[in-house]
Amino acid sequence: MADIGGISITENEGNAVLSASFPKIQIVVAGIERLLPSISDLPLFLNLLATYGTGSMITNYNTVITSPRKRNEVDGPEEMYVVLIDNGRTNLLGQVPQREALACIRCGACLNVCPVFKTIGGHAYGTTYSGPIGSVITPFLKNFEEYVHLSYASTLCGKCTDVCPVNIDLHKLLLYNRQKDKADNDSGKLSWYLWRKSSLSRSFMNKGSGGVKSILLSMAFGSSWGKHRNSPRFSGKSFNEEWLDKHPVKKN
Ligand code: SF4
């Protein structure tokens, strides 16, 4: 909180404030987007965080620390430092409209409703921030090209946007990330063009064995679409061929 030069710790078990009391030097590390202009803004956010994070009205322990231990106080550090971390956040700040994701209060509500997160869990994302919000911000906090695949890990059902207490348009921001990916990087365009052409041609789709088609598909998309997933395998015969086997066309 900028006006009082204080930090806020919110938790349910008291471990954080306990461990902040023991060391002689307290070092607070926070992202630059964690700043509030004033302590008078804090009650709103404490309430939102608790309600959307755990369903309770308020967390059990809420502590504001404004300095090291003062004269005559028995507990607390002798020195206190606050380190504000950028670490890619200004990259995100420069992106319109994705910058609105910096308003996230890390309540986790979007994760809890996300069908992808609920199925694969947080570790599968391989990043600090997972779920819908992680998929929006991680490409900017790390390397966009390397992490933009997370923005495709969504059904775009929009549940994340519905529950977000600070109204971040999460599923639309995922689409903006995909759009930026396509604008930045046109590798794969030729492969998609050929895919479209061939999949619209019945005679082409019925040509060759399933194995050959699978190899061609992984060669065409191995470095783009197939980078983070296994390529699908073609069956021996196309659906059309199977159908014609079972329902031969009678010639008059
Ligand atoms: S994006 Fe919204 S719902 Fe998701 S963690 Fe942040 S504040 Fe909570």
Side-chain angles (χ1 to χ4, degrees):
M1 291 152 286
D3 61 345
I4 61 161
I7 61 144
S8 164
I9 301 174
T10 179
E11 52 177 334
N12 275 314
E13 295 176 339
N15 296 326
V17 72
L18 180 69
S19 52
S21 316
F22 290 135
K24 285 184 188 292
I25 301 176
Q26 183 183 10
I27 301 173
V28 180
V29 181
I32 51 174
E33 82 285 19
R34 304 289 102 197
L35 277 173
L36 287 180
S38 167
I39 190 170
S40 57
D41 300 314
L42 185 63
L44 169 68
F45 287 102
L46 288 182
N47 188 249
L48 279 181
L49 187 60
T51 309
Y52 283 81
T54 65
S56 57
M57 290 298 287
I58 192 81
T59 38
N60 291 346
Y61 294 89
N62 291 288
T63 311
V64 169
I65 300 175
T66 54
S67 72
R69 177 175 52 183
K70 295 207 175 77
R71 193 196 293 252
N72 300 329
E73 286 181 341
V74 288
D75 291 320
E78 291 164 14
E79 294 171 51
M80 176 181 172
Y81 299 93
V82 177
V83 181
L84 294 174
I85 302 269
D86 179 332
N87 210 14
R89 285 158 176 84
T90 44
N91 292 340
L92 184 51
L93 193 60
Q95 292 294 321
V96 180
Q98 291 94 321
R99 66 197 288 172
E100 74 173 90
L102 286 167
C104 170
I105 58 171
R106 306 277 187 270
C107 69
C110 58
L111 281 64
N112 292 333
V113 296
C114 174
V116 176
F117 179 88
K118 283 201 282 189
T119 307
I120 65 173
H123 287 296
Y125 289 75
T127 56
T128 306
Y129 302 114
S130 57
I133 183 65
S135 300
V136 171
I137 65 174
T138 305
F140 297 101
L141 301 185
K142 294 178 171 267
N143 177 313
F144 189 85
E145 204 177 319
E146 205 177 321
Y147 287 90
V148 70
H149 66 277
L150 295 175
S151 301
Y152 293 86
S154 168
T155 62
L156 300 177
C157 65
K159 276 188 171 183
C160 48
T161 303
D162 285 348
V163 296
C164 179
V166 290
N167 289 333
I168 300 173
D169 220 343
L170 286 156
H171 70 295
K172 288 217 183 113
L173 298 187
L174 290 170
L175 283 176
Y176 279 111
N177 278 7
R178 295 182 192 186
Q179 194 180 53
K180 176 172 161 44
D181 179 37
K182 291 292 160 241
D184 290 357
N185 175 9
D186 53 32
S187 79
K189 266 192 183 162
L190 177 65
S191 305
W192 284 111
Y193 172 79
L194 294 174
W195 166 259
R196 182 173 178 277
K197 277 289 205 202
S198 49
S199 61
L200 287 175
S201 159
R202 170 52 51 210
S203 61
F204 186 87
M205 290 305 279
N206 287 359
K207 269 198 187 85
S209 72
V212 172
K213 287 181 202 160
S214 303
I215 292 169
L216 287 176
L217 189 75
S218 61
M219 278 167 62
F221 295 105
S223 61
S224 54
W225 188 81
K227 205 166 166 189
H228 298 278
R229 63 198 114 188
N230 295 330
S231 291
R233 307 214 51 86
F234 278 83
S235 60
K237 285 183 178 177
S238 69
F239 176 78
N240 177 261
E241 289 169 305
E242 298 263 4
W243 182 267
L244 289 176
D245 283 351
K246 288 196 174 129
H247 307 86
V249 180
K250 289 184 191 131
K251 290 191 178 135
N252 293 325

